[in-house]
Amino acid sequence: MRRKRVIGNWKMNGSLAANRALLEELLPQLAVLEGVELAVCPPFSYLAQVAALLEGSGVALGAQNLHTAEKGAFTGEIGAGMLKELGCRYVLVGHSERRSLYRECDETVAEKFAVALRAGLVPVLCVGETQAQRRQGQTEQVVSAQLQAVLRRSGVQGLAAGLIAYEPVWAIGTGETASPEQAQAVHRHIRALLAQHDPVQAEAMPILYGGSVKADNAAALFAQPDIDGGLIGGASLEAAAFAAICQAAAR
């Protein structure tokens, strides 16, 4: 049975004081949970602080992005080795905001996935369609193309060393959420596509859902057979809400 996972993406939010207050309230609530793997992804500037606050908690540290190069003249960027040295286990690649705001293409995302693997990080591959693409019936085509780029670069074994997060772009930060049935249909498609390459790896692959997951819809989403947890945005900044989502995953 696949273990549930919940990863909080803080995006460009937080402060030294707010981070401490959030985790001091949150971590005792998470300490009693069993059967679920948990992580938070703060901004780069807070990775060291959050790593220290998470020490001994069982909650892993993740980063929100990385560069394809290990080091060099890339002002404002960060390398995989730096993230590893700071204690990161996970790193997000291909988040919809990186794709839309910073024009990261499927090939760039695939390269970042491969770089993360080489550094010993667990890349969390984000895939998903826009509202226009969904209305045009292109959801499976778009998601398949995003996955195929990584399969070409790293193979099914490489992809299986990471995680996948399906995040319909139209449901991120909008308050609109894919219904459990809509989300399950795409997760089932992802698993079926992977099964064409390796049925065993496909069955074992954790596929998270991200897109306005909240305390009141998490249980219904996580009850779907192919949804293995969540990549949580705004709700991860509220201790009570994030704890409730994690509790739903642990049931």
Side-chain angles (χ1 to χ4, degrees), residues 14-207:
S15 69
L16 292 173
N19 300 343
R20 178 175 292 278
L22 172 62
L23 292 175
E24 285 180 349
E25 181 180 354
L26 177 64
L27 291 179
Q29 299 180 69
L30 302 185
V32 299
L33 301 183
E34 297 180 355
V36 59
E37 296 185 20
L38 307 171
V40 293
C41 300
F44 296 142
S45 54
Y46 299 128
L47 284 171
Q49 180 210 21
V50 173
L53 292 170
L54 294 179
E55 189 171 356
S57 70
V59 177
L61 182 68
Q64 299 175 18
N65 187 32
L66 78 166
H67 196 270
T68 54
E70 181 62 28
K71 61 182 178 179
F74 304 103
T75 301
E77 295 291 340
I78 193 165
M82 299 172 183
L83 299 178
K84 185 73 173 176
E85 189 174 31
L86 283 167
C88 289
R89 180 183 179 195
Y90 297 99
V91 60
L92 308 183
V93 296
H95 190 280
S96 64
E97 291 157 4
R98 297 300 311 178
R99 294 179 188 265
S100 63
L101 298 178
Y102 303 100
R103 301 295 185 265
E104 291 188 5
C105 65
D106 292 346
E107 288 68 29
T108 296
V109 172
E111 181 61 22
K112 288 187 174 187
F113 190 98
V115 166
L117 286 180
R118 288 200 300 270
L121 296 166
V122 178
V124 182
L125 173 65
C126 302
V127 299
E129 81 285 11
T130 65
Q131 183 68 279
Q133 289 166 335
R134 172 167 280 270
R135 287 172 177 166
Q136 293 166 10
Q138 297 176 339
T139 295
E140 292 187 0
Q141 177 184 344
V142 170
V143 170
S144 294
Q146 293 167 341
L147 288 167
Q148 292 289 4
V150 176
L151 287 167
R152 287 193 299 270
R153 180 68 179 78
S154 297
V156 68
Q157 297 291 333
L159 181 55
L163 305 176
I164 296 172
Y166 167 58
E167 42 162 34
V169 180
W170 48 272
I172 298 173
T174 64
E176 186 175 359
T177 309
S179 70
E181 294 76 20
Q182 286 175 317
Q184 164 60 21
V186 180
H187 281 238
R188 182 175 59 243
H189 168 73
I190 292 170
R191 207 174 299 284
L193 187 151
L194 298 179
Q196 296 175 13
H197 299 266
D198 188 324
V200 175
Q201 295 288 5
E203 183 58 31
M205 186 77 205
I207 307 174

Side-chain angles (χ1 to χ4, degrees), residues 215-231:
D216 60 1
N217 63 19
L221 286 162
F222 298 163
Q224 299 300 310
D226 289 300
I227 297 181
D228 304 312
L231 176 60

